[in-house]
């Protein structure tokens, strides 16, 4: 339900509508005034006075409604003040302009005076209008179109949520994304700032934002869970809202004492909060994208055509991207000869699958030249340690699949410089579970999977429940 | 000229004459009138930019009629290269598997409060039913603490790989429309299925296999029939190809007796030449679809029997999945799904029938039939996940498991009578599905139902949201991925859908 408005508040809300009238009318009047100096447009002259009159009167009404609105809304004070006085200036100048233009002032003025006045009015009008826009849409709205967006969502990379700082990594980014624009360094609606420990504990007009240990009594939480239509609900309707799990996390954080420097693992976690926390954890693959962010020139069409002829599937990783993925799923007969052709696409090729083909260690020399590769599948081929060591050059590699090859722990160790590796698949290779511990030390951030999973035979796997 | 070529020539000429017979004076008059009109309109409109807008190229430009199955790039780099959708047709009970409700156990046998029944319609429940406590023991599993009941002991061991959606809500409470909604984005017939959209958008990586394969088990097709893997208004080459794990993988895939491979090839070539000619005349893209289907069928004669043969898998794999070659089973289909994905198939759709646990007799009861159904899929599903993982495929394959709706927290009372077996009615309000791999978070859980599992209290998602998420993982913005049909762009999620970013890694 909408809150009941007093009559002044009601009138105030007409301001955003009314202001457009003087802007249009006054600018029209000015343009007509200037045009009418040309003989061609002299016919406009009789209309100028009435246009300026409507503009001036509507400017006065805009000022009144604006004044009423300013008392009701919580706007940024300095901008508001400047907007207020600029608006009044527009009203005053436009009245003077009208009086001068219609010769209702008996003082003798130079003939160019109305024109000077019109320029001053146009400038004041633009500036007042811009300030008004800044008030409603926020700082940098106009320039945002070509400048860098400042409202980009902050998201911390959390490899292991238990090792994350509860405030710095979880709570603060949420507040920054959803609250700082009104309760931060640039604006303090309700005299509240939420951008540091002190500010949060001090609170604003209505007292402290949080009561450590008592989530249900904390203003920060209470305002979040009010109905969205409630006037007190935060963030205000229309602004990006907190998700349910974010609200739960804030509640949990306050209840657990609202620590600002503790790690997650130091806080009590019940079964309800655990999955929410785990959901914050970034999976390995988000650390580094598997397609480079910098654009690249298109690959030579001849090079692509040659590969396709050899049986390769060549597909861009995305529409409009020049980065390519290549696989030989349709034609397993390829050999080292065809892999030579890949080097022509070295700059563009990021994902390569040559699994199950007849390539040997010799092919690794060409593949080693594909330094932009992020994903490489070599499973079920005849490659050995000898070939694999060439791949040291592939510093961008995130994914390496050597399932079903003869590669040993020694062979993989030769790639220890490839610290971007996130997942390495070693099932049915010559690397076994015993090698894992040593290898994991060489690749601390990678998941090494030797596979060979088996499931125990349970009674239920082979029997059925019978009706009694 | 060889005899074969001569025959082809003759056939083509015959077809040509045949078509000329269709061209009458009436055609001439009609074509000249509309033809001139169209030319005039075309030259008039060519000055307008809006017709050549980007949308148009996106909408129908994907369809390259000469090579409809060519591999294509998605809109943005995809996290999932393939999808395996495990649909438990009939709708498994979330209350016995993943949505743990101890409160409901306390209410077991009590009458359902009126407030839950007012204004609600159920498929079979009439009057005032009694509440039915969960018939399962639950535990939290792994590091994630996700709840999985003892009915799925194997799956419980991989709970950390899964992401649960616990508050899925649909608006259909009968099997056929609910299945259609889940897979085509509409409860009525005529829309393309997710798999059809995927192969329309991506083509296939393997030119010898279809991009979209369907495997069924449980002795019955889904209620919604083959429309759940249909192509709708998309060119028919994108419909799902149903393969069988028993007998011939595709019906009539082998050449009939007395027809050699060469002869088959020659006849397909001849037919295709005739079809090319009718395409030139009628310009109907369906003719090109037919041509490429003939070619695909010929290639499939070689490649499908190989891809669909699980005999060449080693014993330890059979042991892991619990597969028995030569029979039709969910386990066999799981193993096949892995093989197909390995070979570059984009979308594998599994249907398993028998989850409709009404409790009208032992064969559809919670305490007997349902438990047996769980046993029949538990091992194979888990094996599929682990096998994909060890081959490095899970991170690029999105696996989805779920039904078309959920089941009521109340005991079913068909015709107002007390039933002698435990059973639950269809429940559209809230149910659980899970996803794994393919760029989905590991061990997450999103959404929550009330203490008796009746309706969502947070994190509610719809089938459209699930579809939007699947497309997102495949590299498509579900709001921009459209097909021009009947004068407007259509999309899988219609006007709905939100990518469930809460479970996207």
């Amino acid at each position: 339900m909408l809150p009941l408005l007093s009559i002044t508040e009601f009138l105030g809300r007409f301001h955003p509508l009314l202001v457009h009238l003087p802007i249009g009318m006054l600018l029209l009047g000015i343009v007509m005034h200037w045009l009418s100096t040309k003989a061609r447009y002299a016919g406009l002259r009789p209309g100028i006075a009435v246009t300026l009159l409507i503009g001036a009167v509507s400017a006065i009404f805009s000022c009144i409604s604006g004044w009423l609105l300013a008392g009701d809304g919580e706007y940024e004070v300095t901008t508001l003040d400047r907007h207020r006085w600029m608006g009044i200036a527009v009203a005053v100048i436009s009245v003077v302009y009208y009086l001068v233009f219609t010769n209702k002032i008996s003082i003798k003025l130079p003939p160019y005076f109305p024109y000077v006045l019109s320029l001053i009015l146009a400038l004041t009008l633009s500036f007042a209008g811009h300030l008004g826009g800044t008030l409603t849409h926020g700082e940098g709205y106009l320039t945002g179109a070509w400048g860098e967006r400042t409202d980009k969502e902050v998201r911390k990379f959390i490899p292991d949520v238990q090792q994350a700082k509860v405030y710095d990594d979880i709570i603060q980014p949420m507040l920054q994304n959803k609250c700082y624009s009104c309760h931060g360094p640039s604006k303090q609606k309700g005299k509240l700032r939420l951008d540091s420990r002190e500010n949060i504990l001090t609170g604003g007009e209505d007292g402290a934002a949080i009561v450590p240990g008592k989530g249900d009594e904390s203003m920060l939480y209470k305002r979040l869970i009010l109905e969205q239509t409630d006037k007190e609900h935060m963030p205000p309707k229309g602004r990006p809202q907190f998700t349910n799990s974010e609200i739960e996390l804030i509640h949990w954080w306050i209840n657990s004492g609202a620590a600002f420097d503790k790690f997650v693992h130091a806080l009590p976690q019940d079964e309800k909060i655990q999955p929410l926390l785990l959901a914050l954890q970034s999976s390995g693959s988000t650390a580094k994208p598997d397609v480079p962010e910098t654009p690249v020139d298109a690959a030579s069409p001849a090079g692509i055509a040659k590969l396709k002829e050899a049986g390769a599937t060549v597909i861009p990783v995305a529409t409009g991207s020049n980065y390519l993925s290549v696989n030989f799923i349709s034609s397993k007969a390829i050999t080292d000869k065809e892999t030579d052709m890949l080097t022509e696409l070295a700059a563009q090729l990021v994902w390569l699958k040559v699994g199950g083909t007849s390539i040997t260690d010799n092919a690794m020399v060409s593949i080693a030249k594909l330094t932009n590769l992020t994903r490489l599948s070599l499973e079920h081929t005849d490659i050995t340690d000898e070939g694999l060591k060439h791949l040291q050059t592939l510093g961008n590699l995130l994914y390496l699949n050597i399932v079903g090859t003869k590669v040993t722990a020694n062979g993989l160790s030769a790639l220890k410089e490839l610290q971007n590796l996130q997942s390495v698949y070693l099932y049915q290779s010559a690397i076994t579970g015993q090698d894992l511990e040593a290898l994991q030390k060489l690749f601390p951030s990678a998941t090494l999977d030797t596979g060979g999973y088996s499931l125990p035979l349970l009674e239920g796997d082979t029997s059925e429940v019978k009706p009694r | 000229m060889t005899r074969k070529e001569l025959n082809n020539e003759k056939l083509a000429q015959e077809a040509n004459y045949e078509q000329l017979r269709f061209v009458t004076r009436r055609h001439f008059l009609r074509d000249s009138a509309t033809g001139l009109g169209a030319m005039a309109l075309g030259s008039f409109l060519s000055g307008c930019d809006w017709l050549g807008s980007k949308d148009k190229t996106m909408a129908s430009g994907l369809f390259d009629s000469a090579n409809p199955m060519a591999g294509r790039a998605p809109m943005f780099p995809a996290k999932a290269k393939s999808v395996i959708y495990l649909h438990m047709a009939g709708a498994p009970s979330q209350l016995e598997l993943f949505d743990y409700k101890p409160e409901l156990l306390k209410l077991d046998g009590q009458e359902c409060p009126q407030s839950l029944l007012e204004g609600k319609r159920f498929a079979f429940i009439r009057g005032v039913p009694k509440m039915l406590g969960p018939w399962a023991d639950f535990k939290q599993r792994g590091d994630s603490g996700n709840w999985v009941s003892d009915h799925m002991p194997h799956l419980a061991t991989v709970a950390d790989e899964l992401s649960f959606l616990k508050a899925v809500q649909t608006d259909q409470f009968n099997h056929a429309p609910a299945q259609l909604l889940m897979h085509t984005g509409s409860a009525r017939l005529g829309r393309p299925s997710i798999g059809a959209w995927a192969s329309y958008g991506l083509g296939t990586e393997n030119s010898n296999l279809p991009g979209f394969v369907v495997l069924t088990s449980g002795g019955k097709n889904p209620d919604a029939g083959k429309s759940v893997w249909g192509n709708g208004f998309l060119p028919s080459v994108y419909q799902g190809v149903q393969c069988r794990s028993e007998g011939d993988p595709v019906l009539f895939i082998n050449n009939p007796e007395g027809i050699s491979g060469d002869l088959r090839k020659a006849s397909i070539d001849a037919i295709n030449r005739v079809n090319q000619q009718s395409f030139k005349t009628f310009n109907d893209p369906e003719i090109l679809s037919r041509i490429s289907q003939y070619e695909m069928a010929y290639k499939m004669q070689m490649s499908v029997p190989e891809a669909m043969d699980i005999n060449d898998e080693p014993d330890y794999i059979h042991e892991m999945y619990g597969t028995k070659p030569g029979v039709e089973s969910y386990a066999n289909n799981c193993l096949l799904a892995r093989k197909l994905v390995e070979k570059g198939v984009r979308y594998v759709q599994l249907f398993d029938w028998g989850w409709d646990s009404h409790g009208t007799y032992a064969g559809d009861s919670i305490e007997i039939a349902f438990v047996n159904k769980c046993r029949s899929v538990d091992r194979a599903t888990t094996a599929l996940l682990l096998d994909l993982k060890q081959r490095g495929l899970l991170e690029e394959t999105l696996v989805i498991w779920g039904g078309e709706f959920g089941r009521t927290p109340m005991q079913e009372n068909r015709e107002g009578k007390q039933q002698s077996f435990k059973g639950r009615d269809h429940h559209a309000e809230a149910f659980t599905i899970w996803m794994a791999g393919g760029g989905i978070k590991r061990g997450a859980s999103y959404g929550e139902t009330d203490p008796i599992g009746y309706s969502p209290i947070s994190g509610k998602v719809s089938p459209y949201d699930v579809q939007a998420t699947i497309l997102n993982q495949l590299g498509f913005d579900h709001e921009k991925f459209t097909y021009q049909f009947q004068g407007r762009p259509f999309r899988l999620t219609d006007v709905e859908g939100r990518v469930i970013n809460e479970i996207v890694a």
Side-chain angles (χ1 to χ4, degrees):
Chain A
M1 209 184 77
L2 279 168
L4 279 176
L5 295 175
S6 69
I7 187 76
T8 52
E9 277 176 316
F10 177 71
L11 290 176
R13 295 199 174 187
F14 276 92
H15 181 68
L17 172 74
L18 275 178
V19 286
H20 296 94
L21 203 56
I23 296 175
M25 281 295 168
L26 291 174
L27 286 179
L28 179 67
I30 294 166
V31 171
M32 283 163 73
H33 186 184
W34 282 81
L35 283 176
S36 64
T37 54
K38 293 256 186 283
R40 240 178 107 188
Y41 294 108
L44 289 175
R45 217 167 160 78
I48 301 174
V50 69
T51 312
L52 290 179
L53 179 64
I54 297 173
V57 171
S58 60
I60 294 169
F61 278 107
S62 298
C63 285
I64 297 169
S65 62
W67 196 283
L68 295 174
L69 182 67
D72 153 65
E74 295 189 19
Y75 295 99
E76 216 243 315
V77 188
T78 43
T79 320
L80 180 67
D81 253 8
R82 279 152 81 195
H83 176 64
R84 186 196 311 260
W85 296 112
M86 281 312 238
I88 290 170
V90 168
V92 172
I93 298 170
S94 59
V95 170
V96 174
Y97 182 31
Y98 169 73
L99 294 177
V100 170
F101 182 80
T102 50
N103 292 321
K104 294 219 166 72
I105 293 180
S106 45
I107 316 163
K108 183 81 186 128
L109 291 164
Y112 57 80
F113 188 72
Y115 295 100
V116 175
L117 212 49
S118 74
L119 287 181
I120 296 173
L121 178 60
L123 278 175
T124 327
L125 192 61
S126 314
F127 197 52
H130 171 67
L131 288 172
T134 307
L135 277 178
T136 38
H137 299 297
E139 195 80 45
Y141 175 71
L142 186 60
T143 49
W146 64 80
E148 195 157 318
R149 282 175 67 93
T150 49
D151 56 347
K152 207 175 152 198
E153 224 187 75
V154 190
R155 229 195 131 114
K156 287 277 167 75
F157 173 64
I158 304 177
D160 176 1
V161 73
Q162 296 298 338
Q163 297 301 324
K165 287 272 193 91
V166 64
Y167 178 73
D168 292 341
D169 293 336
I170 299 175
I171 304 297
Q172 188 273 337
M174 284 184 207
L175 299 178
Q176 184 175 349
N177 290 335
K178 310 253 162 83
C179 311
Y180 280 17
S181 56
C182 298
H183 303 293
S186 55
K187 271 191 214 174
Q188 299 83 36
K189 290 198 177 176
K191 302 208 170 74
L192 174 66
R193 277 181 79 153
L194 291 170
D195 57 341
S196 72
R197 176 175 190 268
E198 290 67 36
N199 288 332
I200 291 174
L201 292 175
T202 314
E205 278 171 358
D206 295 334
I210 58 170
V211 185
K214 289 177 181 163
D216 294 329
E217 292 170 25
S218 296
M219 194 69 72
L220 181 63
Y221 176 70
K222 286 204 289 198
R223 291 293 194 94
L224 294 181
I225 58 168
L226 283 173
E227 285 290 320
Q228 253 201 61
T229 44
D230 197 301
K231 200 177 145 196
E232 305 271 275
H233 173 84
M234 284 290 149
K237 215 178 156 196
R239 296 291 184 131
Q241 295 294 315
F242 280 79
T243 66
N244 284 322
S245 45
E246 284 175 335
I247 295 175
E248 278 303 312
L249 284 165
I250 286 183
H251 189 228
W252 163 78
W253 170 65
I254 303 176
N255 271 346
S256 65
F260 284 85
D261 45 8
K262 283 199 178 141
F263 286 96
V264 171
H265 63 75
L267 301 177
Q269 297 161 24
D270 62 5
E271 59 200 42
K272 237 177 102 181
I273 208 73
Q274 276 167 352
L276 299 181
L277 284 170
L278 203 69
L280 296 169
Q281 202 158 302
S282 324
S283 90
S285 59
T286 51
K288 213 168 167 286
D290 57 2
V291 175
E293 273 157 1
T294 46
V296 70
D297 291 334
S300 90
I304 295 179
K306 241 192 327 185
L307 262 180
K308 282 188 174 167
E309 206 146 297
T313 308
V314 186
I315 310 176
V317 293
T319 316
S321 171
N322 287 327
Y323 286 105
L324 297 173
S325 74
V326 170
N327 70 60
F328 292 89
I329 289 175
S330 305
S331 97
K332 300 275 184 190
I334 67 138
T335 60
D336 301 344
K337 207 171 95 240
E338 282 84 2
T339 45
D340 279 348
M341 300 179 192
L342 293 169
T343 52
E344 218 172 309
L345 310 178
Q348 292 82 15
L349 190 47
V350 288
W351 305 342
L352 177 63
K353 285 186 182 180
V354 284
T357 62
S358 320
I359 58 161
T360 68
D361 283 341
N362 295 333
M364 295 306 113
V365 182
S366 340
I367 290 178
K369 291 177 190 152
L370 310 170
T371 50
N372 277 337
L373 276 186
T374 59
R375 305 179 70 87
L376 176 60
S377 301
L378 301 168
E379 72 275 12
H380 302 296
T381 54
D382 288 334
I383 61 155
T384 66
D385 292 355
E386 209 44 47
L388 199 70
K389 70 171 189 230
H390 294 292
L391 303 184
Q392 289 172 33
T393 48
L394 303 182
N396 292 309
L397 211 55
L398 305 173
Y399 170 106
L400 177 63
N401 192 334
I402 44 175
V403 167
T405 60
K406 299 190 192 78
V407 173
T408 70
N410 272 336
L412 188 60
S413 309
L415 301 183
K416 63 174 183 291
E417 301 297 318
L418 306 184
Q419 283 303 318
N420 281 323
L421 272 175
Q422 285 164 6
S423 33
V424 185
Y425 294 95
L426 307 163
Y427 174 53
Q428 289 179 336
S429 67
I431 298 169
T432 62
Q434 290 150 4
D435 304 321
L436 268 186
E437 203 182 325
L439 285 172
Q440 194 70 66
K441 281 187 191 133
L442 293 179
F443 302 95
S445 53
T447 310
L448 309 176
D449 193 335
T450 49
Y453 303 113
S454 65
L455 296 171
L457 192 67
L458 302 178
E459 200 204 330
D461 292 337
T462 48
S463 70
E464 290 205 331
V465 185
K466 295 276 184 302
R468 262 159 293 154
Chain B
M1 197 178 273
T2 63
R3 190 183 167 78
K4 207 165 75 186
E5 281 166 346
L6 201 69
N7 278 339
N8 284 350
E9 192 90 339
K10 265 190 191 161
L11 260 174
Q13 206 168 27
E14 235 170 77
N16 209 2
Y17 289 147
E18 183 66 18
Q19 270 161 24
L20 288 173
R21 287 201 313 133
F22 292 114
V23 184
T24 62
R25 185 181 49 184
R26 221 172 261 190
H27 278 98
F28 174 75
L29 290 172
R30 189 200 64 191
D31 286 357
S32 4
T34 54
L36 283 174
M39 269 160 65
L41 189 69
S43 63
F44 165 66
L45 289 178
S46 63
C48 309
D49 265 354
W50 54 269
L51 254 192
S53 71
K54 230 182 16 221
D55 277 3
K56 206 174 116 202
T57 53
M58 196 61 235
S60 304
L62 274 179
F63 179 60
D64 170 10
S65 48
N67 199 357
M69 293 311 286
R72 282 181 290 273
M75 292 174 175
F76 43 85
K79 287 284 167 250
K81 317 287 188 287
S82 319
V83 175
I84 300 178
Y85 197 126
L86 310 168
H87 188 112
M88 305 298 114
S93 168
Q94 76 282 12
L95 297 166
E96 266 76 29
L97 284 173
F98 309 115
D99 204 12
Y100 177 48
K101 294 296 160 193
E103 275 306 302
L104 186 58
L105 192 60
K106 291 186 203 147
L107 297 171
D108 183 65
Q110 295 185 24
E111 285 196 350
C112 180
Q114 270 304 325
S115 57
L116 293 181
L117 303 170
E118 267 161 21
K120 295 280 191 291
R121 266 189 78 193
F122 296 94
F124 295 102
I125 284 179
R126 299 289 177 268
V128 180
K130 295 203 163 59
M131 304 308 289
L132 177 61
W135 177 258
D137 290 321
F138 278 84
K139 282 188 201 70
Q140 282 186 291
R141 315 286 179 164
D143 296 335
S144 61
N146 278 330
W147 292 93
V148 178
S149 85
D150 284 347
H151 289 317
M152 297 245 181
H154 292 298
L155 192 73
T157 60
V158 294
D160 285 348
E161 297 289 339
L162 315 177
S163 248
F164 289 90
L165 294 172
K166 289 204 167 166
V168 190
Q169 186 174 71
T170 172
D171 56 8
Q172 296 296 324
F173 63 85
N174 280 313
H175 297 293
Q179 287 165 359
L180 279 170
L181 179 62
M182 214 65 206
H183 293 287
T184 73
S186 165
R188 284 166 293 282
L189 297 167
R191 294 291 185 81
S193 52
I194 315 172
W197 280 104
S199 49
Y200 161 63
L202 296 167
T204 169
E205 287 201 307
N206 187 332
S207 53
N208 302 320
L209 285 174
F212 177 17
V213 174
V214 181
L215 303 163
T216 60
S217 57
K220 197 175 149 187
N221 275 337
D223 287 75
K226 301 188 177 185
S227 311
V228 276
W229 58 83
N231 57 294
F233 43 70
L234 294 177
S236 51
V237 47
Y238 299 120
Q239 68 187 299
V241 175
Q242 188 181 359
C243 293
R244 311 177 315 152
S245 49
E246 195 180 11
D248 284 346
V250 176
L251 288 172
F252 311 115
I253 193 156
N254 289 317
N255 290 324
E257 223 169 293
I259 304 284
S260 71
D262 285 349
L263 189 56
R264 170 57 57 109
K265 178 88 182 90
S267 34
I268 286 175
D269 284 347
I271 293 167
N272 279 349
R273 285 192 59 182
V274 174
N275 280 337
Q276 279 292 356
Q277 229 149 25
S278 27
F279 176 69
K280 272 182 207 146
T281 317
F282 299 108
N283 218 6
D284 181 352
E286 279 297 291
I287 298 173
L288 288 172
S289 293
R290 176 59 65 90
I291 293 173
S292 73
Q293 270 158 328
Y294 269 114
E295 277 164 1
M296 174 64 84
Y298 178 72
K299 286 184 192 163
M300 276 168 57
Q301 285 193 304
M302 324 284 292
S303 56
V304 168
E306 184 211 320
M308 295 290 293
D309 184 8
I310 56 169
N311 281 307
D312 58 354
E313 289 290 322
D315 285 345
Y316 56 84
I317 290 291
H318 285 304
E319 203 174 291
M320 187 178 179
Y321 282 83
T323 38
K324 286 190 196 72
V327 296
E328 184 217 75
S329 74
Y330 175 79
N332 284 10
N333 287 347
C334 281
L335 178 51
L336 281 171
R338 189 270 287 166
K339 283 174 67 94
L340 291 169
V341 163
E342 214 168 19
K343 289 188 187 325
V345 173
R346 293 292 194 183
Y347 202 96
V348 186
Q349 175 73 60
L350 262 71
F351 281 100
D352 183 57
W353 177 256
W355 293 90
D356 198 13
S357 316
H358 284 288
T360 52
Y361 71 115
D364 73 352
S365 64
I366 294 273
E367 68 268 47
I368 298 160
F370 173 76
V371 177
N372 288 335
K373 272 322 282 186
C374 291
R375 290 180 178 187
S376 75
V377 303
D378 178 33
R379 188 178 182 94
T381 309
T382 315
L384 173 63
L385 292 170
L386 289 175
D387 199 16
L388 288 171
K389 190 175 172 212
Q390 68 187 355
R391 285 164 205 273
L393 290 169
L394 187 59
E395 64 176 85
E396 47 183 49
T397 306
L398 175 62
V399 183
I400 305 136
W401 188 101
E404 60 267 27
F405 40 64
R407 308 215 71 98
T408 54
M410 296 87 82
Q411 161 76 38
E412 180 168 324
N413 61 349
R414 195 167 287 207
E415 289 154 12
K417 288 180 197 140
Q418 199 182 334
Q419 297 182 179
S420 46
F421 290 95
K422 290 183 194 302
R424 301 184 185 276
D425 201 356
H426 306 169
H427 193 52
E429 204 101 344
F431 62 108
T432 302
I433 70 173
W434 57 253
M435 298 193 186
I440 294 291
K441 275 181 191 163
R442 297 173 65 237
S445 175
Y446 179 64
E448 199 188 339
T449 55
D450 58 36
I452 59 163
Y454 192 94
S455 27
I457 53 175
S458 73
K460 184 172 86 176
V461 299
S462 68
Y464 303 106
D465 300 337
V466 174
Q467 290 154 0
T469 310
I470 296 173
L471 287 184
N472 181 65
Q473 298 312 93
L474 285 171
F476 290 96
D477 177 345
H478 70 105
E479 292 185 357
K480 294 190 181 135
F481 185 33
T482 58
Y483 187 81
Q484 195 74 21
F485 177 65
Q486 287 183 336
R488 75 158 170 106
F490 275 80
R491 45 183 250 225
L492 170 60
T493 52
D494 200 8
V495 295
E496 316 259 347
R498 173 188 80 94
V499 176
I500 310 166
N501 280 315
E502 287 82 355
I503 61 160
V504 173

